[in-house]
Amino acid sequence: MTVQMPTETFLASAAKAAKVISETVEKDGFIHVFSHLDADGIAAAGVIGKALYRLDARFRIRITQWVDEKIIGDIIADKPQLVILTDFGSGYLELLDEKVPDFRLLILDHHQILGKTDNENFMQVNPHVHGIDGATEVSGSGVAYFVAKAVNPANADLSPIALVGALGDMQDKCEQRKLCGLNELIIKDAVVAGLVKVEKDLTFFGRETRPIHRALAATTTPFIPGLSGEEDACVAFLNNLGIELKDGERWRALRDLTEDEKKRLSSALAEHLLSKGLHLEVANLIGDIYVLNREEPWTPLRDAREFAVLLNSTGRLDRPSLGIAVCMGDRGTALEEANKVLDDYRKNINTYLGWVMEKPERLKELENIYVIYGENFINEKIIGTISSILINNVEHPEKPLIAFAQVEKEGAAKFSARTTETALRKGVNLGDVMQTAEKFGGKGGGHNVAAGAQVPLDKVEDFIKAVDELVGKQLRGEQVGSRDNA
Ligand SMILES: [Mn+2]
């Protein structure tokens, strides 16, 4: 008897899913693709979209924030022969089984699995089924990539897009911001195909292509208040440090800086953040950089992390089709438009972060968590980005951060929760914690490291209190949640 390794059984399930896709296309079946609206979801939709396009399939792609009644309604109305859910779905098995049990459904997801179904029309490719960590080892676009590659090995050229998705989901959690696990297989494909180079440096966007002040201004992970998005301020900041911007006539890029200059720069940044009341490990500024070397220098597509921000911006600002088109290869109008959306998005984030920092009651520290009160000022679709940014800057890294925005017309508050490695190691699992929204008439779930929830507006304070308590329990090593197999 041979014992199969997790990677093998995972890849075998991707191959099965690929077969379902190919068979549907052979019968000229109509395919509905639904995907999540963050960078990873858009990348996943781009990967599957391109694979279907190459098969000459009949298909349609929709991007949404949740698996909800709208999706169910679409499926029932249009009766596709196959439904593919990417980057979400595993948290909604019972809902789907209840509402659309007779449809052929393919779930390509990496979120924790909630509930059970033995419906034979449903097939799921999810790393958690195989004991692989979906929070850090493979993303939704990565799962989609393995399926696409099983459909046709030529789809290996979509590997950079899968890396972009993984970085969008902040899966670079291995030592020095490396991607690891199944993501490493994807990197290998991308490097072998000559599409990606991996380098180590300060993780500013455009280390070899942008003048240093512009690289600094373009960087959003970490977000640096007063510098991110503000080129003039970056010029002044670098001047103050005595770092020359030009070498003769030529702009200097990050790769041109001496080791000493880089050291000065990173400690000055740490100090700058501290002066804004934010903390940052200098080590977090240095790491693996994934360069898409076939992309034009100076564009946001050149650096995989920045590419992810561009995709995220199209999703968050209601233009996800631009992001999908870019993933599928459009370097014309769609890219041009997406660049404008990215600009707007950076401005929005600046505004929101400035707003949060303006008054202490907007970022509160409780016993076990931080809470950002976004009120109805912060856009609910951007609340996740804000929490992702600020979790890197909190004073006590063992405390997770939850942020919420109020959506008056839905009578609900939408929460986004993030945590650090430190808290994970101490046993925090936000996916389990957010699930407690159900007790307050809402819903929630996600990953151990990043999760979301929505609850009715009048239950916000109760929910926050419950989350604070649950995280406290997890930090003390107590079991939380009702899930049996996630
Ligand atoms: Mn994802």
Side-chain angles (χ1 to χ4, degrees):
M1 197 179 103
T2 55
V3 179
Q4 285 212 298
M5 300 301 285
T7 303
E8 287 169 23
T9 60
F10 170 81
L11 292 176
S13 82
K16 264 194 198 164
K19 211 169 150 229
V20 171
I21 293 175
S22 303
E23 283 171 2
T24 308
V25 176
E26 270 160 35
K27 291 182 199 145
D28 199 31
F30 188 49
I31 302 176
H32 266 203
V33 181
F34 296 96
S35 196
H36 190 215
L37 65 51
D38 67 4
D40 185 32
I42 290 172
V47 167
I48 284 299
K50 189 77 182 188
L52 292 174
Y53 175 81
R54 284 174 169 164
L55 286 175
D56 208 12
R58 291 194 298 128
F59 68 101
R60 196 183 77 185
I61 301 174
R62 288 260 157 93
I63 300 290
T64 66
Q65 197 167 9
W66 312 84
V67 174
D68 56 16
E69 297 296 330
K70 264 186 254 163
I71 291 185
I72 306 286
D74 266 10
I75 297 172
I76 291 170
D78 294 345
K79 302 186 177 44
Q81 278 69 50
L82 177 65
V83 177
I84 304 178
L85 300 177
T86 53
D87 196 35
F88 57 18
S90 291
Y92 302 86
L93 295 178
E94 283 166 8
L95 175 81
L96 293 163
D97 198 16
E98 183 194 329
K99 304 280 186 180
V100 287
D102 300 327
F103 289 88
R104 197 111 173 80
L105 212 85
L106 204 54
I107 297 171
L108 314 181
D109 194 6
H110 69 131
H111 291 89
Q112 290 176 29
I113 298 161
L114 287 181
K116 278 197 180 105
T117 168
D118 46 19
N119 188 329
E120 291 190 348
N121 287 323
F122 293 7
M123 186 187 284
Q124 184 172 210
V125 184
N126 186 316
H128 291 287
V129 173
H130 310 275
I132 296 170
D133 179 18
T136 57
E137 295 185 35
V138 68
S139 68
S141 54
V143 174
Y145 169 74
F146 285 111
V147 173
K149 199 180 145 193
V151 168
N152 180 353
N155 288 328
D157 66 348
L158 302 171
S159 48
I161 305 300
L163 294 180
V164 166
L167 290 165
D169 266 8
M170 313 221 177
Q171 297 203 321
D172 52 345
K173 299 286 187 200
C174 284
E175 184 200 338
Q176 294 212 300
R177 302 192 64 185
K178 242 195 236 332
L179 290 168
C180 47
L182 287 171
N183 282 323
E184 269 176 311
L185 297 183
I186 306 174
I187 294 172
K188 215 170 135 200
D189 284 352
V191 169
V192 167
L195 300 170
V196 164
K197 276 188 300 187
V198 187
E199 286 159 357
K200 193 173 297 294
D201 207 334
L202 287 162
T203 52
F204 297 161
F205 295 153
R207 73 174 284 275
E208 54 174 83
T209 56
R210 280 202 169 110
I212 174 73
H213 65 285
R214 293 192 55 209
L216 185 53
T219 298
T220 42
T221 41
F223 192 93
I224 309 162
L227 295 178
S228 294
E230 301 186 35
E231 277 183 29
D232 291 349
C234 291
V235 170
F237 187 81
L238 292 162
N239 279 339
N240 267 337
L241 291 174
I243 295 175
E244 295 292 338
L245 297 182
K246 278 189 164 180
D247 183 5
E249 281 305 294
R250 200 176 63 84
W251 290 106
R252 296 174 80 204
L254 191 58
R255 64 165 172 200
D256 301 321
L257 266 55
T258 64
E259 284 310 308
D260 177 63
E261 284 176 317
K262 282 182 192 170
K263 250 183 226 153
R264 254 189 291 153
L265 178 54
S266 37
S267 50
L269 285 172
E271 229 169 88
H272 173 84
L273 285 162
L274 205 55
S275 76
K276 304 272 172 192
L278 302 166
H279 290 249
L280 180 82
E281 295 285 325
V282 172
N284 285 348
L285 287 171
I286 296 163
D288 276 12
I289 296 171
Y290 302 93
V291 182
L292 276 64
N293 47 318
R294 299 270 177 92
E295 301 294 344
E296 289 292 324
W298 309 100
T299 70
L301 308 187
R302 180 87 177 182
D303 184 305
R305 285 189 180 85
E306 191 173 13
F307 195 150
V309 176
L310 176 119
L311 295 185
N312 202 21
S313 71
T314 64
R316 304 294 169 181
L317 296 181
D318 296 319
R319 307 289 302 279
S321 55
L322 295 176
I324 295 172
V326 171
C327 289
M328 290 176 68
D330 190 322
R331 294 292 176 271
T333 338
L335 177 57
E336 201 178 300
E337 279 290 300
N339 274 327
K340 287 183 205 150
V341 175
L342 175 61
D343 271 349
D344 285 348
Y345 175 76
R346 284 193 169 127
K347 281 179 201 142
N348 276 337
I349 291 177
N350 256 328
T351 309
Y352 293 149
L353 288 173
W355 182 87
V356 171
M357 296 301 160
E358 205 171 70
K359 291 191 177 162
E361 68 263 28
R362 290 177 183 157
L363 171 54
K364 280 189 203 161
E365 182 175 356
L366 307 186
E367 203 181 329
N368 303 300
I369 57 171
Y370 289 95
V371 185
I372 294 172
Y373 288 76
E375 301 173 22
N376 45 22
F377 185 78
I378 299 182
N379 177 338
E380 44 136 336
K381 287 182 179 160
I382 300 186
I383 197 79
T385 311
I386 298 298
S387 46
S388 291
I389 289 168
L390 289 174
I391 188 61
N392 291 309
N393 300 105
V394 294
E395 189 176 353
H396 302 292
E398 72 281 6
K399 291 188 180 185
L401 180 148
I402 63 172
F404 72 95
Q406 297 171 355
V407 189
E408 304 292 342
K409 67 176 195 295
E410 293 178 36
K414 307 222 170 169
F415 282 82
S416 160
R418 297 288 184 275
T419 192
T420 58
E421 281 300 293
T422 316
L424 277 189
R425 275 196 300 272
K426 290 189 172 174
V428 168
N429 183 328
L430 293 176
D432 288 345
V433 169
M434 288 290 110
Q435 220 192 327
T436 200
E438 284 167 20
K439 290 190 185 136
F440 300 92
K443 58 184 175 185
H447 301 293
N448 53 5
V449 62
Q454 49 180 316
V455 295
L457 285 176
D458 58 337
K459 293 287 193 291
V460 165
E461 284 306 323
D462 294 343
F463 176 66
I464 291 173
K465 199 163 159 259
V467 169
D468 191 32
E469 280 166 13
L470 287 173
V471 170
K473 276 189 184 171
Q474 290 182 334
L475 287 170
R476 289 193 300 274
E478 293 167 35
Q479 206 64 38
V480 166
S482 53
R483 198 173 291 139
D484 44 20
N485 60 351

Short mmCIF file of all heavy atoms in Angstrom, two decimals, residues 43-78:
data_model
loop_
_atom_site.label_atom_id
_atom_site.label_comp_id
_atom_site.label_asym_id
_atom_site.label_seq_id
_atom_site.Cartn_x
_atom_site.Cartn_y
_atom_site.Cartn_z
N ALA A 43 -7.85 37.46 -9.65
CA ALA A 43 -6.81 36.67 -10.31
C ALA A 43 -7.34 35.27 -10.64
O ALA A 43 -7.11 34.75 -11.74
CB ALA A 43 -5.57 36.58 -9.42
N ALA A 44 -8.08 34.68 -9.69
CA ALA A 44 -8.65 33.34 -9.92
C ALA A 44 -9.60 33.37 -11.11
O ALA A 44 -9.57 32.48 -11.98
CB ALA A 44 -9.38 32.87 -8.66
N ALA A 45 -10.44 34.41 -11.17
CA ALA A 45 -11.38 34.53 -12.29
C ALA A 45 -10.61 34.70 -13.60
O ALA A 45 -10.99 34.15 -14.64
CB ALA A 45 -12.30 35.72 -12.06
N GLY A 46 -9.51 35.46 -13.55
CA GLY A 46 -8.69 35.66 -14.74
C GLY A 46 -8.07 34.35 -15.22
O GLY A 46 -8.05 34.07 -16.43
N VAL A 47 -7.59 33.56 -14.28
CA VAL A 47 -6.96 32.28 -14.62
C VAL A 47 -7.98 31.33 -15.25
O VAL A 47 -7.76 30.77 -16.33
CB VAL A 47 -6.33 31.63 -13.36
CG1 VAL A 47 -5.95 30.18 -13.62
CG2 VAL A 47 -5.10 32.43 -12.92
N ILE A 48 -9.12 31.17 -14.58
CA ILE A 48 -10.15 30.26 -15.11
C ILE A 48 -10.72 30.82 -16.41
O ILE A 48 -10.95 30.10 -17.38
CB ILE A 48 -11.27 30.05 -14.05
CG1 ILE A 48 -10.76 29.10 -12.96
CG2 ILE A 48 -12.54 29.50 -14.67
CD1 ILE A 48 -10.38 27.69 -13.44
N GLY A 49 -10.92 32.15 -16.44
CA GLY A 49 -11.44 32.79 -17.66
C GLY A 49 -10.54 32.53 -18.86
O GLY A 49 -11.02 32.18 -19.94
N LYS A 50 -9.23 32.68 -18.63
CA LYS A 50 -8.30 32.47 -19.75
C LYS A 50 -8.31 31.00 -20.19
O LYS A 50 -8.30 30.70 -21.38
CB LYS A 50 -6.88 32.87 -19.31
CG LYS A 50 -5.87 32.90 -20.43
CD LYS A 50 -6.04 34.13 -21.29
CE LYS A 50 -5.06 34.13 -22.45
NZ LYS A 50 -5.06 35.40 -23.18
N ALA A 51 -8.36 30.10 -19.22
CA ALA A 51 -8.40 28.66 -19.55
C ALA A 51 -9.65 28.34 -20.36
O ALA A 51 -9.59 27.60 -21.35
CB ALA A 51 -8.33 27.83 -18.28
N LEU A 52 -10.79 28.92 -19.95
CA LEU A 52 -12.04 28.66 -20.67
C LEU A 52 -12.02 29.29 -22.06
O LEU A 52 -12.47 28.69 -23.04
CB LEU A 52 -13.24 29.20 -19.86
CG LEU A 52 -13.54 28.47 -18.54
CD1 LEU A 52 -14.65 29.19 -17.77
CD2 LEU A 52 -13.93 27.01 -18.80
N TYR A 53 -11.47 30.49 -22.13
CA TYR A 53 -11.35 31.18 -23.41
C TYR A 53 -10.54 30.34 -24.39
O TYR A 53 -10.89 30.18 -25.56
CB TYR A 53 -10.69 32.54 -23.16
CG TYR A 53 -10.38 33.33 -24.40
CD1 TYR A 53 -11.38 34.08 -25.02
CD2 TYR A 53 -9.09 33.33 -24.95
CE1 TYR A 53 -11.10 34.81 -26.17
CE2 TYR A 53 -8.81 34.06 -26.09
CZ TYR A 53 -9.81 34.80 -26.70
OH TYR A 53 -9.53 35.52 -27.82
N ARG A 54 -9.43 29.77 -23.87
CA ARG A 54 -8.58 28.95 -24.74
C ARG A 54 -9.27 27.66 -25.19
O ARG A 54 -8.90 27.08 -26.20
CB ARG A 54 -7.28 28.61 -24.00
CG ARG A 54 -6.33 29.79 -23.96
CD ARG A 54 -5.12 29.49 -23.11
NE ARG A 54 -4.11 30.53 -23.30
CZ ARG A 54 -3.08 30.72 -22.47
NH1 ARG A 54 -2.92 29.95 -21.42
NH2 ARG A 54 -2.21 31.67 -22.72
N LEU A 55 -10.24 27.23 -24.39
CA LEU A 55 -11.01 26.04 -24.78
C LEU A 55 -12.15 26.41 -25.72
O LEU A 55 -12.90 25.55 -26.16
CB LEU A 55 -11.61 25.38 -23.53
CG LEU A 55 -10.71 24.60 -22.59
CD1 LEU A 55 -11.50 24.15 -21.37
CD2 LEU A 55 -10.08 23.41 -23.30
N ASP A 56 -12.29 27.71 -25.97
CA ASP A 56 -13.40 28.19 -26.79
C ASP A 56 -14.75 27.87 -26.13
O ASP A 56 -15.72 27.52 -26.80
CB ASP A 56 -13.32 27.55 -28.18
CG ASP A 56 -13.96 28.45 -29.23
OD1 ASP A 56 -14.23 29.63 -28.91
OD2 ASP A 56 -14.20 27.97 -30.35
N ALA A 57 -14.76 27.97 -24.80
CA ALA A 57 -15.97 27.62 -24.04
C ALA A 57 -16.98 28.77 -24.07
O ALA A 57 -16.63 29.92 -24.32
CB ALA A 57 -15.59 27.32 -22.60
N ARG A 58 -18.24 28.45 -23.81
CA ARG A 58 -19.25 29.50 -23.59
C ARG A 58 -19.30 29.73 -22.08
O ARG A 58 -19.60 28.82 -21.32
CB ARG A 58 -20.62 29.04 -24.08
CG ARG A 58 -20.70 28.93 -25.59
CD ARG A 58 -22.14 28.81 -26.06
NE ARG A 58 -22.77 27.61 -25.55
CZ ARG A 58 -23.93 27.60 -24.90
NH1 ARG A 58 -24.60 28.72 -24.68
NH2 ARG A 58 -24.44 26.46 -24.45
N PHE A 59 -18.95 30.95 -21.66
CA PHE A 59 -18.92 31.19 -20.21
C PHE A 59 -19.16 32.65 -19.89
O PHE A 59 -19.10 33.52 -20.75
CB PHE A 59 -17.57 30.76 -19.63
CG PHE A 59 -16.40 31.61 -20.07
CD1 PHE A 59 -15.88 32.59 -19.22
CD2 PHE A 59 -15.82 31.44 -21.32
CE1 PHE A 59 -14.80 33.37 -19.61
CE2 PHE A 59 -14.73 32.23 -21.72
CZ PHE A 59 -14.23 33.19 -20.87
N ARG A 60 -19.43 32.89 -18.61
CA ARG A 60 -19.65 34.25 -18.11
C ARG A 60 -19.04 34.34 -16.72
O ARG A 60 -19.06 33.37 -15.97
CB ARG A 60 -21.16 34.47 -18.02
CG ARG A 60 -21.56 35.90 -17.88
CD ARG A 60 -23.05 35.98 -17.71
NE ARG A 60 -23.38 35.61 -16.34
CZ ARG A 60 -24.63 35.51 -15.90
NH1 ARG A 60 -25.65 35.69 -16.71
NH2 ARG A 60 -24.86 35.19 -14.64
N ILE A 61 -18.48 35.50 -16.41
CA ILE A 61 -17.85 35.67 -15.09
C ILE A 61 -18.55 36.77 -14.31
O ILE A 61 -18.82 37.83 -14.86
CB ILE A 61 -16.35 36.02 -15.23
CG1 ILE A 61 -15.60 34.93 -16.00
CG2 ILE A 61 -15.72 36.25 -13.86
CD1 ILE A 61 -14.14 35.28 -16.30
N ARG A 62 -18.86 36.51 -13.06
CA ARG A 62 -19.39 37.54 -12.16
C ARG A 62 -18.51 37.61 -10.93
O ARG A 62 -18.08 36.59 -10.42
CB ARG A 62 -20.81 37.16 -11.68
CG ARG A 62 -21.87 37.28 -12.73
CD ARG A 62 -22.65 38.58 -12.58
NE ARG A 62 -23.28 38.97 -13.85
CZ ARG A 62 -24.52 38.63 -14.19
NH1 ARG A 62 -25.28 37.93 -13.38
NH2 ARG A 62 -25.02 39.03 -15.35
N ILE A 63 -18.30 38.84 -10.47
CA ILE A 63 -17.50 39.04 -9.25
C ILE A 63 -18.42 39.56 -8.15
O ILE A 63 -19.17 40.52 -8.38
CB ILE A 63 -16.39 40.08 -9.52
CG1 ILE A 63 -15.46 39.62 -10.64
CG2 ILE A 63 -15.60 40.40 -8.24
CD1 ILE A 63 -14.58 38.44 -10.30
N THR A 64 -18.38 38.94 -6.99
CA THR A 64 -19.20 39.43 -5.88
C THR A 64 -18.42 39.35 -4.57
O THR A 64 -17.36 38.73 -4.50
CB THR A 64 -20.50 38.59 -5.71
OG1 THR A 64 -20.15 37.27 -5.32
CG2 THR A 64 -21.32 38.54 -6.97
N GLN A 65 -18.98 39.99 -3.55
CA GLN A 65 -18.29 40.00 -2.27
C GLN A 65 -18.61 38.76 -1.43
O GLN A 65 -17.81 38.33 -0.61
CB GLN A 65 -18.65 41.27 -1.49
CG GLN A 65 -17.68 41.55 -0.36
CD GLN A 65 -17.82 42.95 0.22
OE1 GLN A 65 -18.75 43.68 -0.11
NE2 GLN A 65 -16.90 43.35 1.06
N TRP A 66 -19.77 38.22 -1.63
CA TRP A 66 -20.22 37.07 -0.83
C TRP A 66 -20.91 36.06 -1.74
O TRP A 66 -21.42 36.42 -2.80
CB TRP A 66 -21.24 37.49 0.23
CG TRP A 66 -20.87 38.67 1.04
CD1 TRP A 66 -21.06 39.98 0.68
CD2 TRP A 66 -20.24 38.69 2.33
NE1 TRP A 66 -20.59 40.81 1.68
CE2 TRP A 66 -20.09 40.04 2.71
CE3 TRP A 66 -19.82 37.69 3.20
CZ2 TRP A 66 -19.52 40.42 3.92
CZ3 TRP A 66 -19.26 38.06 4.41
CH2 TRP A 66 -19.11 39.41 4.75
N VAL A 67 -20.99 34.82 -1.27
CA VAL A 67 -21.90 33.86 -1.90
C VAL A 67 -23.26 34.17 -1.28
O VAL A 67 -23.48 33.94 -0.10
CB VAL A 67 -21.49 32.41 -1.58
CG1 VAL A 67 -22.53 31.44 -2.12
CG2 VAL A 67 -20.12 32.11 -2.17
N ASP A 68 -24.16 34.75 -2.08
CA ASP A 68 -25.42 35.19 -1.50
C ASP A 68 -26.60 34.87 -2.42
O ASP A 68 -26.47 34.16 -3.41
CB ASP A 68 -25.37 36.68 -1.17
CG ASP A 68 -25.01 37.51 -2.40
OD1 ASP A 68 -25.12 36.98 -3.53
OD2 ASP A 68 -24.63 38.68 -2.24
N GLU A 69 -27.74 35.42 -2.05
CA GLU A 69 -28.97 35.13 -2.79
C GLU A 69 -28.89 35.53 -4.26
O GLU A 69 -29.51 34.94 -5.11
CB GLU A 69 -30.16 35.84 -2.12
CG GLU A 69 -30.45 35.37 -0.71
CD GLU A 69 -30.88 33.89 -0.65
OE1 GLU A 69 -31.49 33.41 -1.62
OE2 GLU A 69 -30.58 33.24 0.37
N LYS A 70 -28.08 36.57 -4.54
CA LYS A 70 -27.96 37.03 -5.93
C LYS A 70 -27.35 35.94 -6.81
O LYS A 70 -27.80 35.70 -7.93
CB LYS A 70 -27.09 38.29 -5.99
CG LYS A 70 -27.90 39.58 -6.00
CD LYS A 70 -26.99 40.79 -6.21
CE LYS A 70 -26.83 41.54 -4.91
NZ LYS A 70 -25.71 42.47 -4.85
N ILE A 71 -26.32 35.31 -6.27
CA ILE A 71 -25.68 34.23 -7.02
C ILE A 71 -26.67 33.08 -7.23
O ILE A 71 -26.82 32.56 -8.34
CB ILE A 71 -24.42 33.71 -6.26
CG1 ILE A 71 -23.33 34.78 -6.28
CG2 ILE A 71 -23.93 32.41 -6.86
CD1 ILE A 71 -22.01 34.34 -5.67
N ILE A 72 -27.34 32.73 -6.15
CA ILE A 72 -28.34 31.66 -6.22
C ILE A 72 -29.40 31.99 -7.30
O ILE A 72 -29.74 31.16 -8.13
CB ILE A 72 -29.06 31.51 -4.84
CG1 ILE A 72 -28.04 31.30 -3.72
CG2 ILE A 72 -30.12 30.44 -4.88
CD1 ILE A 72 -27.38 29.98 -3.64
N GLY A 73 -29.86 33.26 -7.26
CA GLY A 73 -30.87 33.70 -8.23
C GLY A 73 -30.37 33.59 -9.66
O GLY A 73 -31.10 33.13 -10.55
N ASP A 74 -29.14 33.99 -9.89
CA ASP A 74 -28.53 33.91 -11.22
C ASP A 74 -28.50 32.48 -11.73
O ASP A 74 -28.81 32.20 -12.89
CB ASP A 74 -27.06 34.38 -11.15
CG ASP A 74 -26.92 35.86 -11.48
OD1 ASP A 74 -27.97 36.53 -11.57
OD2 ASP A 74 -25.78 36.32 -11.64
N ILE A 75 -28.10 31.59 -10.85
CA ILE A 75 -27.97 30.18 -11.24
C ILE A 75 -29.34 29.62 -11.61
O ILE A 75 -29.51 28.99 -12.66
CB ILE A 75 -27.34 29.34 -10.10
CG1 ILE A 75 -25.91 29.83 -9.81
CG2 ILE A 75 -27.34 27.86 -10.45
CD1 ILE A 75 -25.26 29.20 -8.58
N ILE A 76 -30.31 29.91 -10.74
CA ILE A 76 -31.64 29.36 -10.99
C ILE A 76 -32.24 29.94 -12.27
O ILE A 76 -32.88 29.25 -13.05
CB ILE A 76 -32.56 29.61 -9.76
CG1 ILE A 76 -32.06 28.75 -8.60
CG2 ILE A 76 -34.01 29.30 -10.08
CD1 ILE A 76 -32.69 29.05 -7.26
N ALA A 77 -31.99 31.24 -12.51
CA ALA A 77 -32.57 31.89 -13.70
C ALA A 77 -31.91 31.40 -14.99
O ALA A 77 -32.58 31.16 -15.99
CB ALA A 77 -32.43 33.40 -13.57
N ASP A 78 -30.58 31.26 -14.99
CA ASP A 78 -29.88 30.99 -16.25
C ASP A 78 -29.57 29.51 -16.49
O ASP A 78 -29.17 29.14 -17.59
CB ASP A 78 -28.57 31.81 -16.30
CG ASP A 78 -28.86 33.30 -16.36
OD1 ASP A 78 -30.02 33.65 -16.66
OD2 ASP A 78 -27.94 34.11 -16.11
#
